[in-house]
Each structure stands twice: as structure tokens, then as C-alpha cells.
Amino acid sequence: MAKGDCDWVSYLSSAQRSALVENGVRKIHYKLPDGKEMVEEYNISTDVIQRRMWKAFDPFRGEKWNVELGDPLAQLDNVDSIGIKENSTAPTLTKRITKKSIEWRIRNLPYPRDVYSVEADDEGITVRTSNKKYFKKINVPELERAGLKTDNSLLSFTHQFNTLIITYKKPTKVTEMETKILEMAKLVSPTKVPDLKDAPSECRPS
């Protein structure tokens, strides 16, 4: 959905919403009119979102939650729960939000900083290396939902400890949109745990 912040806020406000507060985290479960389901998790102390997930169906594993933002859900360490493991040395991408920026970390990239090129384009952010060892397209749904294009002047990156850290300064329009959604989330009264049984859990067995 990329029609601007008013449409995105209206889209979420049209959902059936439930909330759970535990361990310093406010979890908001959205059941949207088009059948989609999303969960957002906020740090209660900072009001910063730390995870966003969308419900999906995997033909091999059944129901699953795709993490758009934040660390992946913890998995039980057995074949039934994780299937085939990824190579632990393969590059891995994670994303987080701060009050002022959107940040991506790509781990397991051992090349020196001058090898990397990180640029904004109409499709998001493109990461490539001059040695042709790595290439990645990163979309930025926060900008799409606010009806904005990526802007190179807001983009920066550093490299340390085999990790490429990409930072995008949040435009005012994105910050305002996040504030509206947070205010809406705070209006949802926390419910009992059983009422959120469909929401993802860090320790749910497979």
C-alpha cells in the first residue's frame, strides 16, 4: 500500500485491533478488512516500534509470520521448527527504527568500506560491491506508505566489525505518520493473553 500517509493510517484504523502489554512491550494485533494480519511491537519506555510482522502461509510449514522490521522470531533448534539452516557465514539483513532514522545492518560482509556503494533510487536502496561479491535491493515501505521517494541526501553508511550499517534519516512526513499510528495504538485497551492466541510468540512450539 503506497498511497500516502492518510491512506496508510486509515487502512490501519479500519482494522480490528487488540493489544497485549508484557515485559515492557506493547503488542498491537491488526486484523485488516482485506484479510491480512499484522502485529507491531513497541517499547513502552521509548514508544519506538521494535518489530513489525505480517501473517503468511507457507505451503511446507503452514502458518508463519514474516518479519518486516526488527529481529526475527526466535526458533526452536530442531529440524521440525527450522528445516534447513542458512549458512551461518552468509550475509544477513536486519532492520530497525530509531526516533530519527531507519537503519539496516547487513552482517557477514568482510570487505573494506571503499568496496561498497549504497544509493537511493526509485525502487528503494541499492547496495553493491565493486568486487561483485554482493548485491541487494532494499525496499523502504515506510516511505512508500507516506507517498515519498528515497532521497540520497538522507542516506549514509558505515562499515565495522564485518557489518555494513545503512542509515536513512526519517523525513518529517514519516515521523508524523508514525506518531498518528502510535497514538491510535495507545487507545487500544490491553486484553487478556488468550485473546491474542493468534499473534506470534517467541516460544510457541511448531
Side-chain angles (χ1 to χ4, degrees), residues 21-34:
V21 175
E22 62 177 353
N23 300 324
V25 176
R26 176 184 290 105
K27 299 181 181 182
I28 309 295
H29 187 191
Y30 297 86
K31 291 188 176 182
L32 296 148
D34 56 9

Side-chain angles (χ1 to χ4, degrees), residues 68-83:
E68 174 190 308
L69 164 68
D71 292 331
L73 289 170
Q75 299 287 348
L76 299 177
D77 193 14
N78 60 57
V79 175
D80 291 336
S81 66
I82 62 175

Side-chain angles (χ1 to χ4, degrees), residues 57-114:
F57 182 80
D58 186 305
F60 299 103
R61 296 172 56 192
E63 176 190 307
K64 62 177 289 188
W65 288 84
N66 292 326
V67 177
E68 174 190 308
L69 164 68
D71 292 331
L73 289 170
Q75 299 287 348
L76 299 177
D77 193 14
N78 60 57
V79 175
D80 291 336
S81 66
I82 62 175
I84 300 173
K85 289 185 177 180
E86 289 187 15
N87 186 333
S88 60
T89 63
T92 58
L93 173 68
T94 57
K95 173 184 171 183
R96 71 169 189 160
I97 295 283
T98 70
K99 286 187 177 294
K100 296 183 178 180
S101 64
I102 306 169
E103 185 179 284
W104 297 265
R105 277 178 160 79
I106 308 177
R107 294 179 171 83
N108 296 328
L109 287 181
Y111 320 114
R113 187 186 187 282
D114 58 7

Side-chain angles (χ1 to χ4, degrees), residues 19-163:
L20 171 67
V21 175
E22 62 177 353
N23 300 324
V25 176
R26 176 184 290 105
K27 299 181 181 182
I28 309 295
H29 187 191
Y30 297 86
K31 291 188 176 182
L32 296 148
D34 56 9
K36 294 181 180 179
E37 291 187 43
M38 180 183 76
V39 168
E40 291 187 329
E41 299 181 2
Y42 292 86
N43 182 300
I44 292 177
S45 299
T46 64
D47 280 340
V48 173
I49 186 170
Q50 58 187 37
R51 187 182 281 150
R52 180 184 295 121
M53 299 169 286
W54 292 89
K55 193 174 186 178
F57 182 80
D58 186 305
F60 299 103
R61 296 172 56 192
E63 176 190 307
K64 62 177 289 188
W65 288 84
N66 292 326
V67 177
E68 174 190 308
L69 164 68
D71 292 331
L73 289 170
Q75 299 287 348
L76 299 177
D77 193 14
N78 60 57
V79 175
D80 291 336
S81 66
I82 62 175
I84 300 173
K85 289 185 177 180
E86 289 187 15
N87 186 333
S88 60
T89 63
T92 58
L93 173 68
T94 57
K95 173 184 171 183
R96 71 169 189 160
I97 295 283
T98 70
K99 286 187 177 294
K100 296 183 178 180
S101 64
I102 306 169
E103 185 179 284
W104 297 265
R105 277 178 160 79
I106 308 177
R107 294 179 171 83
N108 296 328
L109 287 181
Y111 320 114
R113 187 186 187 282
D114 58 7
V115 167
Y116 303 97
S117 168
V118 181
E119 297 181 339
D121 54 41
D122 288 343
E123 297 180 1
I125 297 170
T126 300
V127 182
R128 55 168 57 90
T129 58
S130 58
N131 61 10
K132 302 187 185 303
K133 297 290 187 180
Y134 185 80
F135 178 87
K136 183 71 175 179
K137 283 277 191 180
I138 302 173
N139 69 326
V140 191
E142 290 80 7
L143 298 182
E144 296 173 5
R145 291 161 186 160
L148 301 173
K149 298 289 187 180
T150 46
D151 182 345
N152 258 319
S153 68
L154 302 177
L155 186 63
S156 61
F157 72 95
T158 60
H159 183 267
Q160 57 184 356
F161 306 117
N162 290 341
T163 300

